[in-house]
Amino acid sequence: MAHGYDELTILGGNSNGVLVDEICAYIGIPRGRAEVFKFSNDNTFVRIGESVRQNDVFVVQSFTTPVNDSIMELLIMIDTLKRASAGRITAVIPYFGYGRTDKKDQPRVPITARLVAKLIEQAGADRVLTVDLHAGQIQGFFDIPVDEMSAMYLTAQHFLEKRLPDPVVVSPDLGNTKRARNLAEILDAPLAIIEKRRIGNRDTSEVLNLIGDVDGKTAVIVDDEIDTAGSITHAAQVCLDHGATAVYATCIHPVFSGPAIERLVASPIREVVVTNTIELPPARRFDRLTQLSVAPLLGETIQRIHAGSSVSAAYRAAGSYQARLSLVEPG
C-alpha cells in the first residue's frame, strides 16, 4: 500500500447513501460500517463499527438538505475517525454547500464557504475530494490538498450521443461563461450568454440581454447547479423567444429546492440532465429528468489517491468503465 496506510475504507453519512454504495461497487469493496443518527435532543451521534487504525479512510457526504445537519455529520465523523487512529482521512464532498457564499459581495456579509473549509480542517481531515465547486477559489480556502473533479464530461458525452441538430450552448449568466465555453468546445458548438441582474438576496433576477445567436438552433443551457430553477426556466423562455427550435438544460448539482420541480415540469425544456452528486427522492423526479452517476469518477479518483497515482487519468478510466456498462446493461 502507498504511503504506509493499511486498508482502504469508505464510509458515508446520511446525505447520499446510494452514491456511497455505487462507489464501493465500482471499487469492489464493502461499505464501511458506521452508525450516524440523532438522539431525541437533536444531537448527532456517530459510532464506527470496525477498526480503522492506520487505514486510508474516505468519508462521502454531500452538503444537501438539511445542509447544516449534513455538515455536522461530516465533522463528527472526521473527529470520530481521528480519535480512532485512522491513518489518513479524506472528506469526499460531491456537492459543497455554501459554495455561493465565496466572497464579500456586499457590506457586512460572511464568507461562509471559507468558514466551512476551516471547520473541515479543524475536525481533522487530511485532504478533500469534491466535484465542480461553484467557484474555483474555494480550493484556496483550504490549507490541505483539494482534488476538484469535474463531471462535465458525463453531461457532454450524453449530448454528443444525442447528436442534437445545430446546437448552441447557453450560459444563463455572465458568471457561468467559462463553464459554458468549456462545454461548447466539447460539443463543437457556438456560445451564447444571457446577461441578467440579480435583485437582492431573494433568488430573483431580471434579464437584460442575450449575447449571441440562438435563432433556428437547439439550445443547451448549462449551469453548475439548479436551485429554485427560476434562472434556468427563464433562460429557456428567452432562448425560445429569440428563435431557438428546442431547449435542453444541464447541471452538475440538482439542488431542486422550493418550487424547482413545479417550474421545471411546467417549462418548455425537453430534457434536464443532472448527476447524482445530490440524491433525489422519487418526489423530486419527473419524466424529462436524466440523472447520470459520478460513482465511476469518484471511485476511480479514490483508488488513485489511495495508490498515490495520477488523479487526472481518472477521467479516462471512469469513461471506459461507463462504456463497458453500456455493453452489458439494457439501454
Side-chain angles (χ1 to χ4, degrees):
M1 297 292 179
H3 310 297
Y5 302 120
D6 291 339
E7 296 179 17
L8 170 62
T9 301
I10 297 178
L11 302 170
N14 292 318
S15 69
N16 203 333
V18 174
L19 179 57
V20 179
D21 291 337
E22 289 183 4
I23 291 171
C24 291
Y26 175 88
I27 297 174
I29 61 175
R31 178 174 175 169
R33 298 193 303 275
E35 294 179 79
V36 184
F37 62 90
K38 279 189 172 186
F39 289 119
S40 58
N41 62 1
D42 205 42
N43 289 0
T44 298
F45 180 76
V46 171
R47 178 166 50 222
I48 308 300
E50 60 190 77
S51 174
V52 293
R53 184 173 294 274
Q54 288 306 303
N55 283 11
D56 199 7
V57 184
F58 292 77
V59 186
V60 183
Q61 179 81 329
S62 284
F63 293 165
T64 59
T65 304
V67 176
N68 296 337
D69 283 354
S70 296
I71 293 172
M72 280 303 300
E73 283 186 8
L74 176 64
L75 297 177
I76 296 171
M77 290 185 77
I78 292 171
D79 181 75
T80 305
L81 290 165
K82 200 75 175 176
R83 296 174 188 279
S85 301
R88 179 174 64 180
I89 304 166
T90 301
V92 183
I93 310 171
Y95 172 63
F96 189 88
Y98 286 109
R100 289 182 175 184
T101 318
D102 61 304
K103 58 185 177 294
K104 286 193 66 173
D105 55 0
Q106 52 188 297
R108 297 175 297 281
V109 297
I111 305 178
T112 317
R114 185 182 185 279
L115 171 63
V116 174
K118 293 306 174 187
L119 288 171
I120 293 168
E121 285 182 30
Q122 289 299 312
D126 297 296
R127 66 185 305 131
V128 169
L129 168 60
T130 188
V131 178
D132 286 289
L133 292 167
H134 180 70
Q137 66 261 28
I138 294 175
Q139 292 188 39
F141 295 166
F142 291 90
D143 290 325
I144 55 178
V146 176
D147 291 301
E148 180 191 2
M149 309 303 289
S150 177
M152 180 174 289
Y153 84 96
L154 286 172
T155 57
Q157 185 63 35
H158 177 83
F159 286 110
L160 284 172
E161 292 172 357
K162 291 184 77 71
R163 300 182 182 275
L164 298 175
D166 203 7
V168 55
V169 175
V170 180
S171 173
D173 56 59
L174 293 172
N176 192 59
T177 303
K178 182 178 180 181
R179 182 175 287 104
R181 185 181 68 235
N182 291 340
L183 180 60
E185 290 177 355
I186 297 173
L187 299 183
D188 192 23
L191 175 66
I193 303 168
I194 294 177
E195 182 187 6
K196 69 180 183 181
R197 177 174 57 197
R198 188 164 296 279
I199 303 171
N201 296 318
R202 298 186 178 274
D203 289 325
T204 58
S205 60
E206 61 177 345
V207 173
L208 303 178
N209 193 21
L210 173 64
I211 305 168
D213 181 23
V214 300
D215 188 24
K217 301 178 185 294
T218 303
V220 180
I221 305 172
V222 59
D223 211 341
D224 64 315
E225 66 181 64
I226 296 176
D227 186 1
T228 61
S231 293
I232 210 86
T233 53
H234 198 177
Q237 190 58 54
V238 169
C239 290
L240 291 174
D241 291 344
H242 283 76
T245 57
V247 179
Y248 292 78
T250 181
C251 77
I252 305 301
H253 310 296
V255 179
F256 290 176
S257 61
I261 301 301
E262 291 79 5
R263 286 174 172 173
L264 291 170
V265 169
S267 78
I269 299 172
R270 291 194 178 182
E271 183 184 24
V272 180
V273 181
V274 302
T275 76
N276 64 342
T277 57
I278 296 175
E279 189 170 306
L280 294 178
R284 292 202 288 170
R285 296 177 180 271
F286 51 96
D287 290 342
R288 287 172 284 148
L289 178 71
T290 299
Q291 192 169 31
L292 310 173
S293 180
V294 297
L297 175 61
L298 290 176
E300 187 65 32
T301 305
I302 287 170
Q303 286 183 301
R304 291 174 178 274
I305 292 173
H306 178 61
S309 58
S310 171
V311 166
S312 60
Y315 294 105
R316 185 168 58 252
S320 65
Y321 174 82
Q322 292 281 39
R324 292 196 301 273
L325 279 184
S326 67
L327 295 177
V328 298
E329 291 189 352

